[in-house]
Amino acid sequence: MNEQTAAVPGFAVNSVNLASAGLGARGLSATDEFFAPLERMLADQPAVFIPDKYDDNGKWMDGWESRRKRVLGHDHAVIRLAVAGRIDGFDVDTSHFTGNYPPAARIEACNVSGEPDAATVWTEVLPTSPLGPDAHHYLASTSAEVFTHVRLHIYPDGGVARLRVFGQPYLDPARAGDGEIELSSSLKGGRIVGFSDAHYGSYHRLLAPGRGENMGDGWETSRRRVPGNEWIVIALGARGLISRAIVDTAYFKGNFPDSCSIQAADMSEFGADARDAIITASMFWPELIAPQKLQADHVHDLSDHIARIGPVTHVRLNIFPDGGVSRLKLSGRLA
């Protein structure tokens, strides 16, 4: 695959993929899905190409693909985002679509309580933009409003391997009130800032809702062969006081960490884009939870071990010496 020559922009690193099927995003409708269904375009895994795989309609492709248009018009699809949020940018990924990619795309968005209908007012968030074959196209959003759905237009037809809608989930302080919320959840804006190793699994699923579905649904490191330990740094969805902590090793049986600890700090003054500085500083953060022994395939409630260190914006989960963790859930009140 030919990667776009430009560096990956900050919004693709510092934001949550609101169009993640794993977080709950769903394709609602498409004008045409002849060669490949809309739902594949929202998959969390990178698109793959299987040379000898065909189905009844032709070549099997990993994404959404419409048939060749023989009349005026173009194809489009409507996606319900996993959670309402501000959209920062997009990745319109045409990986493996070489002679069947759309030459251009445009994206609209709306904010509705149910599902869009004929009366829905759509806002353009990405003007018509050129696309190329077999490449990631990182494109910034033109609106800072909160949206619940997007509508992808492709001109005139073709295939898109993946659509990523990068943004920040909308956390309404008025609705949260003084109650406890899961500050680390991706659906509340929690995101991975950096890690020492993520050789196996899908590390971003560490903050996903529910429990892991298998051993690949979580963060797992390679076997550490030198002194030290592995770690992962997380930005919470909002500054808060943590009162509940869950470390879940679901499906990790012969490869769970021996123990873990959690450090935390209020990094508000660093800003959202100070990734490297935040990771460096994390080595010196105070302990939120001192080292605790872990078990195989088990939900560990570590809430009774939380130290009172005040409001925090970031946490660092340390595992000793290595291994896999399916989910980390940190809950508390907004500060």
Side-chain angles (χ1 to χ4, degrees), residues 5-81:
T5 55
V8 176
F11 66 70
V13 177
N14 299 319
S15 303
V16 175
N17 176 21
L18 303 176
S20 161
L23 292 180
R26 293 291 179 267
L28 299 182
S29 65
T31 50
D32 190 287
E33 300 175 273
F34 186 83
F35 285 115
L38 178 59
E39 63 184 21
R40 286 184 197 155
M41 188 178 69
L42 306 181
D44 291 325
Q45 299 77 17
V48 298
F49 183 76
I50 305 175
D52 299 323
K53 187 171 183 177
Y54 292 82
D55 58 27
D56 291 342
N57 287 343
K59 182 71 185 73
W60 185 93
M61 293 297 290
D62 193 7
W64 168 47
E65 185 182 3
S66 65
R67 74 189 82 196
R68 301 187 188 214
K69 191 163 289 295
R70 302 308 190 202
V71 296
L72 290 177
H74 70 280
D75 289 313
H76 56 80
V78 176
I79 296 103
R80 183 180 70 226
L81 301 177

Side-chain angles (χ1 to χ4, degrees), residues 98-158:
T98 55
N100 51 351
Y101 66 95
R106 182 170 72 99
I107 299 177
E108 299 173 299
C110 69
N111 188 335
V112 295
S113 57
E115 302 297 2
D117 57 26
T120 297
V121 176
W122 293 87
T123 300
E124 184 178 83
V125 293
L126 178 71
T128 303
S129 304
L131 302 180
D134 196 25
H136 292 268
H137 303 84
Y138 295 105
L139 304 162
S141 171
T142 58
S143 175
E145 297 178 34
V146 172
F147 296 107
T148 57
H149 297 72
V150 295
R151 182 163 64 183
L152 170 65
H153 298 263
I154 57 174
Y155 298 96
D157 54 37

